[in-house]
Amino acid sequence: MPIDPHYPILAALLALASCAPRPPTPSPTTADVVIEDVTLVDVREGRTREHLDVGLAGPRIAYVRRAGGAAVPAGARRVSGRGLFLIPGLWDMHSHSLWSADAVRTFLPAYVANGVTGIRDMGGTLEMLHAARDSIRAGSAYPRIYAAGAIVDGPEPVDPSISLAVGDSAGGRLAVDSLARAGADFVKVYSLLPRGAYFAVMDEARRLGIPVAGHVPVEVTPDEAARAGQRSIEHLRDELEPFCTPREPAPCAPLFEVFRRNGTWQVPTLVVLRMKALFGDTAYVTDPRLAYVPASLRASWLRERLGKIARGPDYAAGKRVRFADEMWLTGRLARERVPLMAGTDAGVAFSYPGFSLHDELALLVDAGLSNVEALRAATLAPAELMGAAGTLGTVEAGRAADLVLLRANPLRDIRATRQVETVVLRGRVIPRAGLDSLLAAVARDAR
């Protein structure tokens, strides 16, 4: 659907992120950087391609060709890929990183240090969104950001600090208009949004050509949300599990058919759902990744954990059953070819920006996805949802030079995504030493 021309900021941002005409593909003889003799992981076909040279010209891939098949352009930086595996940059498709200056300063570089070159931010403040984009333009090593700006929730929002309070249809339309004018890439709806306001949001967003994603409000069913055009449903636990369980699987098939027919993506965020089930595990308080979380947030997470423990063993047992259901449901969604994406809800308790995406990929495989399906959920699938499959999500000439060099093959073991050797961000090569420096700076800022 075309973007309303009365919203030039939104149009410009969406064009940049997704469907703008690409500049001409650089000449095959032109490259600023050449990754030599690398094994490319083809996420589309699910196979590796050995002994290739990948040339980069500025922020784009110039060529992919047989290693040694042509001379390296004079003056090009040479990066050895021998023994390494090249994948597209990873995306976390459910992040909360734009709600404070501390979060921006620590979360965003932590993503890049873990090979996450893009995030879909599911609710922060417009002020922080604009500040982060300004920093990216100034050269900061921050991931690409596809953002909601603020959450559209009911008249008494779950989190007023990052939400627009909406009580009726007129308020819903006004919220969509204001977010579009402010440069949001999509609208995020939340659980307490009234039914009438929800459908007004969907109608206004359709008129303006801005996507809608998020929770399914309590007064709306997942079936209705999919038919209304909601692009993704988050978390499973509130939106799907009551409708489709191992004990009552009959509703699954017709609902999944609606999702497939309407292109409604699911983002399970299993890493957070697991925490809600296993919060008593002492590994949560000894995790060395806590060092990369701002001190005030770290303290909040630990208090939240103690509060859950205080609710007693029956509460914990119920949460464990629920998580088992959610793992079953994720596997069932994958088998039924419902589109899935990887997201972590980073910023929520014990979900670490960057680090936890690797945990999420492993959980997706544990739930029943193949290694390549999990990898697609963080590469090609995000590009498809954003309408950017022509510029992101694969390693091909003309695509964005957002890449990760790994020391092991993720098609054999998805946990290989943790073995990051080098990250290429918008054509900028950051070797392991540079990634370690980013993390050291995050730890200093988090104290």
Side-chain angles (χ1 to χ4, degrees), residues 20-380:
R22 298 198 306 272
T25 301
S27 163
T29 61
T30 301
D32 307 315
V33 175
V34 179
I35 302 171
E36 297 183 281
D37 197 15
V38 73
T39 297
L40 188 154
V41 177
D42 188 326
V43 297
R44 194 187 303 277
E45 296 188 10
R47 66 184 183 94
T48 57
R49 297 165 55 196
E50 298 180 345
H51 304 301
L52 296 176
D53 287 349
V54 178
L56 315 178
R60 295 201 174 272
I61 299 171
Y63 60 78
V64 178
R65 64 192 184 197
R66 183 172 58 84
V72 172
R77 177 178 178 179
R78 305 173 78 151
V79 176
S80 175
R82 184 166 297 176
L84 302 177
F85 297 83
L86 186 67
I87 65 170
L90 300 168
W91 279 75
D92 186 334
M93 292 301 282
H94 194 117
S95 163
H96 290 282
S97 302
L98 303 177
W99 47 271
S100 76
D102 281 348
V104 169
R105 189 168 56 250
T106 56
F107 286 20
L108 298 186
Y111 277 115
V112 173
N114 281 278
V116 180
T117 60
I119 62 171
R120 185 174 66 147
D121 193 86
M122 298 297 290
T125 72
L126 289 166
E127 177 187 5
M128 289 298 103
L129 171 58
H130 295 151
R133 284 176 168 162
D134 287 344
S135 294
I136 290 170
R137 284 190 287 269
S140 293
Y142 290 173
R144 295 178 190 270
I145 299 172
Y146 184 77
I151 295 169
V152 179
D153 203 0
E156 296 183 6
V158 173
D159 188 344
S161 68
I162 58 172
S163 300
L164 302 179
V166 171
D168 55 24
S169 297
R173 292 181 185 279
L174 181 61
V176 174
D177 292 348
S178 65
L179 289 168
R181 291 185 186 278
D185 296 308
F186 66 98
V187 174
K188 182 185 179 181
V189 291
Y190 212 66
S191 305
L192 301 182
L193 188 64
R195 180 178 176 86
Y198 172 82
F199 287 106
V201 164
M202 298 303 297
D203 183 66
E204 186 69 2
R206 189 179 304 111
R207 186 180 74 82
L208 299 180
I210 184 169
V212 178
H215 290 207
V216 177
V218 294
E219 297 179 4
V220 178
T221 68
D223 179 285
E224 289 176 316
R227 293 178 191 275
Q230 185 166 321
R231 293 290 285 133
S232 72
I233 293 174
E234 315 298 309
H235 306 311
L236 302 183
R237 67 185 188 278
D238 298 320
E239 285 66 42
L240 291 180
E241 192 268 345
F243 295 87
C244 178
T245 72
R247 291 165 296 284
E248 295 185 30
C252 293
L255 181 59
F256 293 173
E257 174 58 28
V258 172
F259 291 157
R260 286 192 298 268
R261 189 167 61 247
N262 290 277
T264 310
W265 297 75
Q266 304 297 319
V267 187
T269 63
L270 294 172
V271 69
V272 163
L273 304 184
R274 179 181 61 179
M275 181 280 296
K276 294 177 182 292
L278 302 176
F279 51 82
D281 190 338
T282 56
Y284 282 111
V285 298
T286 60
D287 195 320
R289 297 176 296 183
L290 285 167
Y292 302 107
V293 177
S296 60
L297 183 61
R298 189 187 318 144
S300 173
W301 288 3
L302 295 172
R303 287 194 302 270
E304 181 178 342
R305 175 178 177 273
L306 292 176
K308 290 181 182 297
I309 290 172
R311 299 182 71 168
D314 290 345
Y315 174 80
K319 288 294 185 182
R320 288 193 293 272
V321 170
R322 198 173 181 99
F323 179 59
D325 287 354
E326 289 154 344
M327 290 288 283
W328 171 87
L329 178 55
T330 300
R332 180 72 183 266
L333 287 163
R335 289 193 300 276
E336 296 291 336
R337 301 303 179 198
V338 175
L340 294 169
M341 293 186 298
T344 67
D345 215 0
V348 173
F350 303 102
S351 182
Y352 302 92
F355 297 96
S356 284
L357 183 66
H358 304 294
D359 300 340
E360 184 72 14
L361 296 179
L363 284 169
L364 289 173
V365 170
D366 290 344
L369 278 71
S370 68
N371 290 329
V372 71
E373 286 172 336
L375 194 58
R376 285 184 193 131
T379 54
L380 184 56

